[in-house]
Amino acid sequence: MTLHARLSRSADRDGANTTFLHDVWHGLAQDQKRISPKYLYDERGSELFVDITRTPEYYPTRTELAILEENAGAIAERIPRGAAMIEFGAGASTKARILLRVADIAAYVPVDISGAFLLGEARQLEQDVPGLKVLPVAADFTAPFELPASIADLPRAGFFPGSTLGNFEAHEATAFLRHAATLLGPGARLIIGVDCVKEANVLNEAYDDAAGSTAAFNLNLLSRINRELGGDFDLNGFRHCAFYNREQRRVEMHLVSRVRQKVRIGGRSFDFRRGETIHTENSYKFTLEQFRSVANGAGWQQAEVWLDPERFFSVHMLVCEDARRK
Ligand SMILES: C[S@@+](CC[C@H](N)C(=O)[O-])C[C@H]1O[C@@H](n2cnc3c(N)ncnc32)[C@H](O)[C@@H]1O
């Protein structure tokens, strides 16, 4: 097999489970209970996210795919020939396939915290695109991780679609973009998909689809805690809730306790009032000016931006400031 799965230390099973347990304990001990959205993505979570992207309400995926398809040539022109393309939070790599078709990419490095899902998708891609070097890295991209040594001499292009940046708080988004600049190095480009501010009803429906895919995705977090950390969450005791918080320009996802209850996880117990929530995800929305300012603050300059006709979603080509001065 030509596929080299590189499991970083942070993704090591035991270590990862200990960190997961401590993060859950810490998060559930807060006044506003919270758990990081990165824990929504185990293998089942990644499959459920793919279901979400296929719902009629979830406009971000189909809109970003359309922007990428329409502008693939122009985007490819700005990617250095023979580059390594590093995708942060690759998931099913659906969007990367569009760029891999038109750009001259020597190696594709999908990075994702959902290791088993990542490896399955990488194997499939390797079969579908013979000759493409696929080098998956199972890692948490909010912590330092290493890129494969074999791409050391290649120019680099980063790819960060899906508006995953919107899951970060402002300071985390800046830290991530700075980290990406260091990792990708001078001369690098970063192609990033960012969801735009829009009417509340469009957002509310996108994060609470009629088929219940987003609800299943959110509730899977509790199943995951039960499976991996020996929790005793009763899934019928919680419901999914998502709404646009206009003031904060973010969609919030919560799990709402239907009743007063006690939950045990790894030898500790947590009380829930009826109606009390666990805050599981924020998805910040950006105006073009706002995003440009976040990027500039982290050392990136916008070279180009592509939008759909409704201006629902934006794809930006960023360039490292240093590289621009050269
Ligand atoms: C919103 S989905 C986007 C998936 C895909 N890029 C797309 O555009 O459809 C976020 C992806 O980032 C991954 N992810 C979330 N937090 C992560 C983290 N801290 N480190 C690495 N991957 C992460 C998830 O596993 C998931 O595949």
Side-chain angles (χ1 to χ4, degrees), residues 119-133:
L119 294 187
E121 295 301 317
R123 267 190 210 111
Q124 186 60 52
L125 184 64
E126 206 173 46
Q127 279 175 23
D128 295 348
V129 189
L132 176 68
K133 221 190 261 177

Side-chain angles (χ1 to χ4, degrees), residues 84-88 109 111 147 151 156-160 183-184:
M85 183 163 90
I86 295 124
E87 179 170 359
F88 302 98
V109 184
V111 180
L147 289 173
I151 67 159
R156 293 171 188 185
F159 187 39
F160 195 31
L183 193 75
L184 298 173

Side-chain angles (χ1 to χ4, degrees), residues 36-42 45-46 49-50 53 58 60-61 64-65 68 87-96 108 111-115 117 137-143 145 159-165 167-168 176 217 281 313:
S36 165
K38 69 184 178 188
Y39 292 119
L40 292 164
Y41 297 94
D42 62 346
S46 296
F49 181 75
V50 171
T53 65
Y58 198 73
T61 301
E64 188 177 23
L65 282 169
L68 290 170
E87 179 170 359
F88 302 98
S93 293
T94 314
K95 293 161 189 167
Y108 171 58
V111 180
D112 208 291
I113 199 165
S114 188
F117 187 81
V137 176
D140 180 343
F141 55 47
T142 59
F145 67 90
F159 187 39
F160 195 31
S163 207
T164 306
L165 188 85
N167 295 147
F168 292 133
F176 173 83
F217 171 70
E281 189 185 85
F313 202 91

Side-chain angles (χ1 to χ4, degrees), residues 78-260:
R78 289 178 174 271
I79 298 177
R81 296 183 73 79
M85 183 163 90
I86 295 124
E87 179 170 359
F88 302 98
S93 293
T94 314
K95 293 161 189 167
R97 284 169 184 260
I98 298 171
L99 300 183
L100 290 170
R101 238 180 14 237
V102 290
D104 179 10
I105 305 288
Y108 171 58
V109 184
V111 180
D112 208 291
I113 199 165
S114 188
F117 187 81
L118 169 78
L119 294 187
E121 295 301 317
R123 267 190 210 111
Q124 186 60 52
L125 184 64
E126 206 173 46
Q127 279 175 23
D128 295 348
V129 189
L132 176 68
K133 221 190 261 177
V134 182
L135 305 165
V137 176
D140 180 343
F141 55 47
T142 59
F145 67 90
E146 280 177 32
L147 289 173
S150 58
I151 67 159
D153 296 331
L154 302 181
R156 293 171 188 185
F159 187 39
F160 195 31
S163 207
T164 306
L165 188 85
N167 295 147
F168 292 133
E169 294 304 311
H171 69 282
E172 294 169 334
T174 302
F176 173 83
L177 289 171
R178 287 213 176 109
H179 172 51
T182 309
L183 193 75
L184 298 173
R189 309 280 188 274
L190 178 62
I191 303 142
I192 180 166
V194 178
D195 200 8
C196 302
V197 171
K198 61 185 62 63
E199 277 180 28
N201 64 323
V202 178
L203 292 165
N204 288 335
E205 282 179 17
Y207 289 81
D208 194 8
D209 59 281
S213 298
T214 316
F217 171 70
N218 199 6
L219 283 159
N220 175 60
L221 177 61
L222 305 185
S223 310
R224 182 182 182 188
I225 292 172
N226 288 351
R227 271 194 307 272
E228 294 184 23
L229 306 178
D232 68 353
F233 275 108
D234 170 11
L235 265 66
N236 294 319
F238 289 84
R239 67 175 173 82
H240 165 70
C241 167
F243 58 90
Y244 183 53
N245 179 334
R246 199 185 299 270
E247 227 168 76
Q248 302 279 349
R249 287 190 180 150
R250 69 188 190 202
V251 175
E252 296 187 12
M253 254 179 28
H254 294 255
L255 288 164
V256 187
S257 179
R258 293 181 189 272
V259 291
R260 193 168 154 215

Side-chain angles (χ1 to χ4, degrees), residues 280-301:
T280 52
E281 189 185 85
N282 284 323
S283 184
Y284 282 89
K285 309 301 167 192
F286 294 83
T287 63
L288 295 181
E289 297 69 34
Q290 229 185 339
F291 174 69
R292 208 175 296 128
S293 136
V294 171
N296 291 165
W300 293 91
Q301 289 293 319

